[in-house]
Amino acid sequence: MNDHQSFQRFAALAAIISFPLTLGSIVLSGMAVDFNMEASTNPALLLSVGADGASLSRWGMILEILGFYLPLLPVALFLWRWLGPRDPDWVLFYTSCGLGYILVGAIGAVILAAVHPPLISAYAQASVEQRPALETVFSAVWNMVYGGMWGILDTLLVGIWFLGIGSLLWDERRLFSIFSIALGISALLSSLGVILGIEAIAFFLGVIYGLLAPVWTLWIGIDLLRKPVQIQATYS
């Protein structure tokens, strides 16, 4: 097995393994707030979950890093290597957006994993007078990550990446191409909803992306195992 084949297999396995980790992240994050959907838009609900909820939230974010983001790194690099010869400049642009999405998303999850649990635990033990200050800090971190890093920048970057990759795979993997393009459009519209302050659109499309993005990763992983591709050796 040459280097291209071994890395392709590694990227495929990383994508497949990410799926149960992502599901674990969704489950643990949901358990932290008793699966209250309002918690995704109301930070006060998460702040009041107590020590047990803080631990669940922390592990949910750790699994999010290992599920949603880091496994996509070899996938992005492999797609760049595979599709690059077709249109090097555009593929480099799409890949840069993908790598930006992975980096920004992982940093956001790391911030939440490191900052939110201690604040939640402190809030449970704080006096009435101390709680407003903790609420302010907690909301500021929440808005920075959910409203800015994830809500605007990350969805914008991944929308461009998925849309671009989908368009390049139109001729040879039509169903996956359609799915990727649709998912990319939903991410872009979700980002636009946040920018324009249209909360209903941003929330609805954000949920669609959050639920279907792991399917995209699993699909590309299985596909690369079932139908290995040949890399043009002349591309560097």
Side-chain angles (χ1 to χ4, degrees), residues 122-132 134:
Y123 187 80
Q125 303 174 7
S127 65
V128 175
E129 292 78 13
Q130 294 171 325
R131 286 190 169 186
L134 293 173

Side-chain angles (χ1 to χ4, degrees), residues 22-167:
T22 301
L23 291 182
S25 169
I26 294 173
V27 170
L28 289 180
S29 297
M31 289 174 60
V33 294
D34 292 326
F35 297 98
N36 186 343
M37 290 295 294
E38 188 182 347
S40 60
T41 57
N42 185 358
L45 293 178
L46 180 58
L47 182 57
S48 60
V49 297
D52 291 340
S55 179
L56 289 170
S57 176
R58 176 177 179 273
W59 281 107
M61 287 299 106
I62 291 173
L63 289 182
E64 181 148 343
I65 298 165
L66 299 177
F68 266 104
Y69 299 113
L70 293 188
L72 282 174
L73 182 57
V75 173
L77 294 176
F78 177 78
L79 290 172
W80 166 73
R81 186 70 177 178
W82 172 26
L83 302 174
R86 305 180 187 185
D87 198 333
D89 292 334
W90 279 109
V91 173
L92 180 60
F93 170 67
Y94 297 144
T95 303
S96 298
C97 289
L99 295 177
Y101 158 74
I102 294 166
L103 178 62
V104 172
I107 290 175
V110 167
I111 290 172
L112 294 182
V115 177
H116 271 184
L119 288 175
I120 294 171
S121 297
Y123 187 80
Q125 303 174 7
S127 65
V128 175
E129 292 78 13
Q130 294 171 325
R131 286 190 169 186
L134 293 173
E135 291 169 358
T136 300
V137 175
F138 190 88
S139 294
V141 175
W142 174 284
N143 290 329
M144 177 180 68
V145 176
Y146 281 92
M149 296 175 69
W150 286 355
I152 297 177
L153 182 56
D154 229 24
T155 48
L156 178 63
L157 291 172
V158 77
I160 295 171
W161 184 39
F162 281 4
L163 192 60
I165 294 301
S167 65

Side-chain angles (χ1 to χ4, degrees), residues 8 75-76 78-87 91 94 160-181 216 219-221 223-224 227-231:
Q8 179 176 174
V75 173
F78 177 78
L79 290 172
W80 166 73
R81 186 70 177 178
W82 172 26
L83 302 174
R86 305 180 187 185
D87 198 333
V91 173
Y94 297 144
I160 295 171
W161 184 39
F162 281 4
L163 192 60
I165 294 301
S167 65
L168 291 169
L169 292 174
W170 181 262
D171 291 333
E172 55 195 284
R173 284 168 168 79
R174 183 64 55 87
L175 286 177
F176 178 77
S177 172
I178 293 172
F179 182 73
S180 183
I181 290 172
W216 185 95
W219 191 337
I220 191 67
D223 198 63
L224 290 177
K227 296 184 289 184
V229 301
Q230 297 297 319
I231 304 296

